[in-house]
Amino acid sequence: MRNETLETWVLLATAHTTPARVHWCDGSEAELNELRDQLQAEGILQRLNERTHPGCFVHRSDPSDALRLEQRRFVCTPRRDDVGPTNQWLPEEEAYRSVWPLFAKAMSGRTLYVVPYLLGSPRSKFAQVGVQLTDSPWVVLLMHTLTRVGHVALEHLGRSSDFARGLHCLDSCRLERRFVVEFPATQTWWSIGTAHPESSTMLESHFLGLVGSLAPEEGYLGEHMAVARITDPAGLELCIGAAFPSGCGKTSFATLSPCLPGYRVEMVADGMALLRVGDDGRLWALNPAVGINGMIGDGQRREGLSGWAQRARNVIFTNVGLCSDGSPWWEGGGKPYRPEVRDWRGRAWTPGTHAAAAHPNARFIMAARDFPGLSTDFDAPDGVPLSAIFFGGRRSTLVPLIIEANSWEHGVYMAATSRSEVAPGLGEPSGVLRNDPMGMLPFCSYNMADRFRHWLGLGRQLRRRPRIFHVNWFRRDESGRLLWPGFGHNARVLDWALKRIQRSADAQSTPIGGIPRSLDMTGLSLGGDALERLLQVDVGGWLREAAANGIFLERFGKRLPPDLHREHRALLSRLQAATN
Ligand code: GDP
Ligand code: MN
């Protein structure tokens, strides 16, 4: 079946970028193998030891392109107010004057790949179609790994013109010409000069920006959220969504191995979820992706990833070190240094010569089906019902391990005012504290105040609302040591949340919400007053936090929903009452 809108758009892009060839991707295994061969020939991929790491590769990015783009991302809408105070607005004429010309002849001599992809199961009426045009075989490989590519998407699309359009051009990865520009009104994205997964595949732009902005008409929301199915020792199964900023533990949450006996955690979604109200009045979450795109951060090096991803098949490791025996290497991964390690740029490396063998934003990417802890619901066409939502962030001080919201509206307020320290290995200077509402700061291409309104509206439509919690795994003591071991030990926090859902645990009511009176600490001794500090509410500190958030909320002016004003004033008066 021909789709004229799609063909016209491909012709337009071809005329402007002048590629030597156009290749329509069919999503087949043969195509995938060809891409890998080509990337190996170009030295971008290197096969790992087939015996110890079957199907695995090391990928080396351009050294200047190891971080996600944030400062050079712009959103084009007719009015500045449509993007709100958390986005960089660009008038459309300006985008056509200064960025569009960068694409002129930019694919000369190269192949333009047309990548039709589907977000969501083909059996799902909620699936979304996008078409990515790119001259980077690496980006095609990423799309293959993360989404359903080829005929399946074209069939779903039929003759419809309702599809997201991405135009991506490698343009030799030139730093000074690196841009991401989004046009939400026409479901269009441009990306140039980068091959970083999140800036080049534009899946976040598509799913989090666009699906989010459709919410009021279509009745759903695109969230930066991992979803896990948790089984407790009594066999009760519940699903929980974890919506944290980038680098704050979504993938780790969905791949957690619980430290408490009898618990099981399975991954339903790695970092994107489509939320909607089900006919049963519950909140349902659907996983749109088929791959896992994760960071190899400090913690994963120590904990989870060093275990399962080191053993998994068909994993592509980006910007890690490489041993001469064909195995990947990273600091803290538990493997001893051997003299033959090459660093992430392929240079001979010895400890101390230059920074580290693995880049701080080293990553891995793999098909979800190769992850041993995958839930059978990861491609359920209707998704799974959520019993709770965890919002959260990275806070070395003040914010307790877990807070339970008093109500849906309070929970939306907590999520809307959540601040987080930028994780190491992201584009921004790390450690900077900033408001990152619902973990959506770099992705929400429309006015965040509208998003808050959607969330409040969602609550009104739900007959059985999930409970909302706010978690923080990242508290540190004065000398910078983590107060909480995190990862598998977060099962202790999950255990409390599950019991709250079943009304079998107590919460201490505080001005900021419900806090555990105790946690199951079997087999863990934190020493000193660590647990007390993790569960303590510092009223003075929270007054300062609320003041900062008041200034943040002011930035939305009249567009901010009144419910959030009310929650803000209520919090202030509860805090003030507690100081007297
Ligand atoms: P995502 O980007 O939200 O999916 O985050 P990841 O799960 O990839 O984790 C990002 C970073 O946070 C990595 O450096 C992890 O090691 C770290 N991290 C994740 N969960 C925890 C935790 O429970 N405790 C601590 N201390 N670090 C964590
Ligand atoms: Mn992740």
Side-chain angles (χ1 to χ4, degrees):
M1 191 191 313
R2 299 189 53 175
N3 184 309
E4 279 177 28
T5 316
L6 174 56
E7 286 175 18
T8 309
W9 177 60
V10 173
L11 280 179
L12 178 85
T14 308
H16 189 51
T17 58
T18 64
R21 290 166 295 277
V22 176
H23 174 88
W24 286 69
C25 293
D26 61 10
S28 65
E29 201 59 34
E31 184 172 84
L32 208 53
N33 285 331
E34 254 170 57
L35 288 165
R36 290 198 199 101
D37 289 349
Q38 188 185 338
L39 287 163
Q40 284 188 87
E42 290 176 23
I44 293 172
L45 280 191
Q46 242 175 297
R47 199 177 266 284
L48 292 181
N49 186 320
E50 206 33 47
R51 197 174 42 79
T52 54
H53 294 79
C56 294
F57 292 85
V58 157
H59 163 248
R60 294 199 180 115
S61 79
D62 183 289
S64 76
D65 193 30
L67 297 172
R68 186 180 72 204
L69 224 62
E70 214 172 278
Q71 267 112 358
R72 309 197 66 175
R73 170 183 168 271
F74 297 90
V75 184
C76 290
T77 52
R79 285 167 308 163
R80 184 187 285 265
D81 195 40
D82 292 333
V83 306
T86 59
N87 282 303
Q88 302 188 92
W89 182 70
L90 194 68
E92 194 161 315
E93 317 82 74
E94 186 53 39
Y96 275 93
R97 196 162 43 233
S98 40
V99 184
W100 182 243
L102 303 180
F103 287 88
K105 300 195 170 56
M107 295 189 189
S108 294
R110 302 175 60 81
T111 301
L112 182 158
Y113 297 88
V114 181
V115 192
Y117 63 93
L118 192 64
L119 289 178
S121 157
R123 293 173 291 134
S124 173
K125 60 177 191 270
F126 308 106
Q128 311 270 325
V129 178
V131 181
Q132 168 86 328
L133 308 184
T134 177
D135 64 348
S136 159
W138 164 244
V139 171
V140 182
L141 186 60
L142 288 172
M143 298 298 288
H144 262 273
T145 312
L146 295 172
T147 70
R148 297 160 171 93
V149 162
H151 297 312
V152 65
L154 290 179
E155 263 164 42
H156 204 89
L157 181 63
R159 294 185 207 281
S160 165
S161 57
D162 181 16
F163 61 95
R165 290 136 225 228
L167 175 61
H168 168 257
C169 189
L170 206 49
D171 192 33
S172 325
C173 258
R174 275 181 284 181
L175 187 58
E176 69 286 359
R177 293 165 58 122
R178 198 169 279 171
F179 288 100
V180 169
V181 185
E182 307 188 3
F183 304 84
T186 52
Q187 313 188 36
T188 302
W189 297 273
W190 300 342
S191 163
I192 187 160
T194 172
H196 189 272
E198 285 164 21
S199 309
S200 61
T201 65
M202 293 185 280
L203 291 177
E204 279 81 5
S205 304
H206 176 174
F207 195 74
L208 305 176
L210 169 78
V211 178
S213 68
L214 291 178
E217 299 84 55
E218 313 276 344
Y220 43 67
L221 281 164
E223 295 300 312
H224 195 209
M225 179 185 279
V227 178
R229 173 180 287 283
I230 324 278
T231 310
D232 82 355
L236 176 83
E237 293 186 15
L238 292 178
C239 293
I240 297 187
F244 310 149
S246 299
C248 292
K250 289 179 299 300
T251 303
S252 305
F253 178 81
T255 57
L256 180 148
S257 4
C259 68
L260 295 177
Y263 272 96
R264 198 168 71 228
V265 174
E266 291 165 312
M267 173 190 282
V268 176
D270 166 42
M272 295 196 292
L274 184 137
L275 299 191
R276 65 182 174 88
V277 181
D279 297 335
D280 59 358
R282 291 191 289 179
L283 184 62
W284 288 71
L286 188 127
N287 168 36
V290 294
I292 302 176
N293 167 21
M295 275 173 75
I296 308 178
D298 292 349
Q300 277 113 341
R301 295 174 190 203
R302 270 196 330 271
E303 313 274 340
L305 195 70
S306 310
W308 64 260
Q310 282 276 23
R311 287 191 302 271
R313 300 174 159 263
N314 309 324
V315 182
I316 303 177
F317 299 93
T318 290
N319 293 344
V320 296
L322 178 60
C323 302
S324 60
D325 67 359
S327 61
W329 195 93
W330 50 76
E331 280 76 13
K335 273 206 295 186
Y337 162 73
R338 278 172 300 170
E340 67 280 25
V341 174
R342 299 210 155 252
D343 75 357
W344 63 278
R345 300 177 66 169
R347 301 173 299 190
W349 181 86
T350 46
T353 41
H354 38 263
H359 188 276
N361 195 8
R363 317 185 61 85
F364 70 98
I365 186 159
M366 63 191 286
R369 63 169 185 273
D370 290 319
F371 171 60
L374 190 68
S375 162
T376 49
D377 280 331
F378 92 102
D379 63 352
D382 290 328
V384 294
L386 293 182
S387 300
I389 298 169
F390 284 11
F391 289 105
R394 181 182 285 261
R395 294 295 297 266
S396 42
T397 60
L398 188 68
V399 179
L401 195 51
I402 183 163
I403 314 168
E404 183 183 350
N406 302 329
S407 64
W408 181 268
E409 291 74 16
H410 180 224
V412 175
Y413 169 81
M414 285 197 322
T417 55
S418 182
R419 298 205 290 169
S420 186
E421 290 149 23
V422 174
L426 296 182
E428 295 282 307
S430 82
V432 173
L433 181 62
R434 61 180 190 180
N435 280 93
D436 195 336
M438 301 164 166
M440 289 286 289
L441 182 69
F443 309 113
C444 180
S445 54
Y446 59 106
N447 195 312
M448 200 72 92
D450 297 348
R451 163 163 262 281
F452 302 155
R453 197 160 37 73
H454 297 162
W455 267 84
L456 292 163
L458 201 61
R460 282 189 289 276
Q461 291 172 52
L462 291 168
R463 288 195 301 280
R464 288 163 67 189
R465 300 167 166 189
R467 289 200 183 214
I468 300 182
F469 298 88
H470 188 282
V471 297
N472 175 27
W473 315 135
F474 299 94
R475 281 288 291 276
R476 290 176 189 273
D477 67 12
E478 287 69 24
S479 55
R481 272 190 304 262
L482 284 163
L483 284 174
W484 181 248
F487 300 96
H489 291 279
N490 295 336
R492 302 176 194 281
V493 176
L494 269 175
D495 170 69
W496 182 76
L498 254 60
K499 288 184 173 143
R500 286 298 295 161
I501 295 165
Q502 298 170 73
R503 301 191 166 81
S504 62
D506 258 3
Q508 184 191 345
S509 168
T510 79
I512 58 170
I515 306 276
R517 287 185 201 280
S518 63
L519 293 176
D520 184 341
M521 296 295 280
T522 316
L524 173 68
S525 151
L526 289 183
D529 58 354
L531 186 61
E532 223 165 276
R533 292 173 68 173
L534 285 162
L535 299 177
Q536 188 181 41
V537 177
D538 163 10
V539 173
W542 276 99
L543 272 168
R544 286 189 292 279
E545 180 79 4
N549 279 327
I551 294 168
F552 174 68
L553 294 177
E554 283 302 317
R555 296 176 64 197
F556 297 94
K558 287 201 189 58
R559 209 144 162 163
L560 192 78
D563 275 347
L564 292 190
H565 275 301
R566 201 170 39 246
E567 287 297 333
H568 185 65
R569 283 195 304 271
L571 171 67
L572 283 176
S573 58
R574 290 194 303 267
L575 288 167
Q576 265 141 15
T579 55
N580 299 329

